[in-house]
Amino acid sequence: MLTALPRRIALYGRHSTAMQAASSNADQVASCAPLVGYLGGTVMATWLDPELSDYRRDRPGLQQLLRAVEAGDIDIIACEALDRLARDAEDVAWLGKKLAYHRVQLHTVSEGHVDEIKFAVAGLLGSIFLKHLVDKTLRGMEAAVLAGRFAGGRAYGYKRMVRLDASGELQRGLLEIDEAQAGIVRRIFAWFAAGMSSIQIATRLNEEGVPGPRGGQWNASTIRGDPKKLVGILNNPLYAGRLVWGRRQWRKNPDSERRERRYRLSDQSEWVEVAVPDLRIIDDGLFEAARSEIERRKRAPQANSSAGRPPARHLLSGLIRCSCCGANYTISGKDYYRCAGQ
């Protein structure tokens, strides 16, 4: 007589941001205890992914779970809800097919046994949720900017202002000038307006031992950036007391497992601009002088130049991008490449 073997169960938990309680994953796993008792199996392993978005398939905990699935080490996955594993419609469908292929069941506290129908419904509901979440997030960010608060990452020359509201909650998005870094910003603008190149400025700051925005060395692309994409210190209107939001539209690359971000410039009519005089570091005259210098240094095509002809192709043409500003690398001389944003 055959004896049924106890079903092998793996538990999974995930939460998205550091703003959620550190115990969130542990709480999710604890909520699965009654479900495990109902299923009558044995918990073989538990995998957690703290502070990781459901957009990413390369989550370490999820990857270990899937390797166990492929190795035939588990029979059931148990978690609080399907959206802990995936929420995007494509990811939900992919997960459903993968589990079905390896004959692994998914049971959740919220949905019970997740079969093919529930996978399909969850993909649709997840897409609707994500669309609404994006819309609400953008509306919230726009409202914050209109109120004079910063909705992006912290810019060089500023530090977070710690201020509590009437209820004792931390007010987010408030910046104040970091005087030490602000002095460096003023020097950069003055030097560039006086004719120094971004490479010369970066070299001088490195020789003086001034830490870059990320704590490392300065490079030319950090200073000049890309005027077309409005990135780089010399292109940031915040230094002139103007908070501009919505210049770029961010997108997710569907071909990248890490969902890398790419962006394009929005129409200028869609930008949100607010005067923030308390955050001004340089005056309008110096800001415009630097901008004029950038325009002046744009070389006009010469009569005997290669303008209008197909550019020469090199081994790595179009394949290398700058890790700081995102601009393409171009050939420089015979044996070197350099950032085109310099």
Side-chain angles (χ1 to χ4, degrees):
M1 180 173 141
L2 295 176
T3 302
L5 296 175
R7 294 190 287 183
R8 301 164 298 172
I9 300 176
L11 302 181
Y12 180 80
R14 179 196 61 79
H15 67 268
S16 298
T17 70
M19 295 176 64
Q20 293 174 265
S23 62
S24 177
N25 281 354
D27 292 342
Q28 293 175 31
V29 170
S31 72
C32 293
L35 178 60
V36 172
Y38 169 78
L39 294 172
T42 302
V43 175
M44 307 300 294
T46 299
W47 287 288
L48 306 176
D49 279 320
E51 300 178 27
L52 287 175
S53 170
D54 53 67
Y55 264 118
R56 294 180 53 176
R57 290 187 189 177
D58 65 344
R59 286 169 266 154
L62 177 62
Q63 289 301 310
Q64 294 178 57
L65 172 64
L66 294 178
R67 282 195 288 271
V69 168
E70 293 167 355
D73 294 335
I74 58 177
D75 305 306
I76 298 174
I77 298 173
C79 59
E80 183 183 50
L82 175 56
D83 60 16
R84 298 302 90 198
L85 285 163
R87 182 176 275 135
D88 178 78
E90 179 185 357
D91 291 345
V92 170
W94 167 78
L95 179 65
K97 290 180 180 179
K98 192 172 189 67
L99 296 185
Y101 176 77
H102 292 284
R103 298 184 180 277
V104 173
Q105 296 181 9
L106 173 62
H107 290 260
T108 72
V109 176
S110 299
E111 296 96 354
H113 178 213
V114 183
D115 56 16
E116 293 85 349
I117 302 300
K118 289 183 179 179
F119 268 114
V121 173
L124 174 61
L125 295 178
S127 295
I128 295 174
F129 172 84
L130 291 174
K131 178 62 170 64
H132 289 173
L133 179 62
V134 169
D135 292 341
K136 287 190 288 187
T137 300
L138 291 176
R139 285 198 301 271
M141 294 173 70
E142 182 175 353
V145 171
L146 291 173
R149 302 199 304 272
F150 202 62
R154 189 173 68 223
Y156 183 79
Y158 302 94
K159 58 185 178 181
R160 187 178 68 174
M161 179 188 295
V162 179
R163 179 188 295 173
L164 304 180
D165 59 20
S167 62
E169 294 291 329
L170 179 66
Q171 291 182 290
R172 302 185 182 278
L174 296 180
L175 299 181
E176 59 183 346
I177 295 174
D178 183 319
E179 291 299 338
Q181 293 183 356
I184 302 299
V185 172
R186 295 186 186 100
R187 293 171 69 189
I188 290 173
F189 273 86
W191 285 341
F192 192 83
M196 288 181 65
S197 70
S198 52
I199 296 178
Q200 291 172 326
I201 295 172
T203 301
R204 183 162 179 177
L205 292 174
N206 290 331
E207 289 174 348
E208 294 180 7
V210 177
R214 297 183 180 180
Q217 288 199 322
W218 289 85
N219 57 63
S221 60
T222 301
I223 295 169
R224 181 168 177 175
D226 187 341
K228 293 182 179 180
K229 295 181 179 179
L230 300 176
V231 296
I233 285 181
L234 294 173
N235 302 298
N236 191 346
L238 187 60
Y239 297 130
R242 302 195 309 275
L243 177 57
V244 181
W245 178 80
R247 294 187 295 178
R248 298 186 291 272
Q249 292 182 348
W250 294 87
R251 296 175 293 171
K252 302 279 187 178
N253 183 353
D255 294 327
S256 171
E257 199 166 90
R258 293 184 61 85
R259 302 297 195 269
E260 67 186 31
R261 295 182 183 273
R262 296 186 179 183
Y263 62 81
R264 67 176 178 84
L265 287 179
S266 304
D267 188 273
Q268 192 165 352
S269 63
E270 300 175 3
W271 297 2
V272 177
E273 182 171 336
V274 178
V276 284
D278 292 343
L279 297 180
R280 178 188 289 274
I281 291 179
I282 60 175
D283 57 44
D284 290 335
L286 182 55
F287 185 81
E288 293 304 324
R291 297 292 302 160
S292 298
E293 190 66 16
I294 290 176
E295 293 297 323
R296 188 188 69 79
R297 297 183 194 187
K298 290 180 179 178
R299 297 179 179 179
Q302 302 296 320
N304 60 350
S305 73
S306 60
R309 299 199 302 268
R313 301 293 296 177
H314 300 278
L315 179 63
L316 300 176
S317 293
L319 299 178
I320 311 177
R321 289 184 179 274
C322 177
S323 62
C324 296
C325 70
N328 286 327
Y329 265 63
T330 58
I331 196 72
S332 178
K334 181 180 179 182
D335 300 315
Y336 298 95
Y337 287 86
R338 67 174 179 83
C339 174
Q342 293 180 358

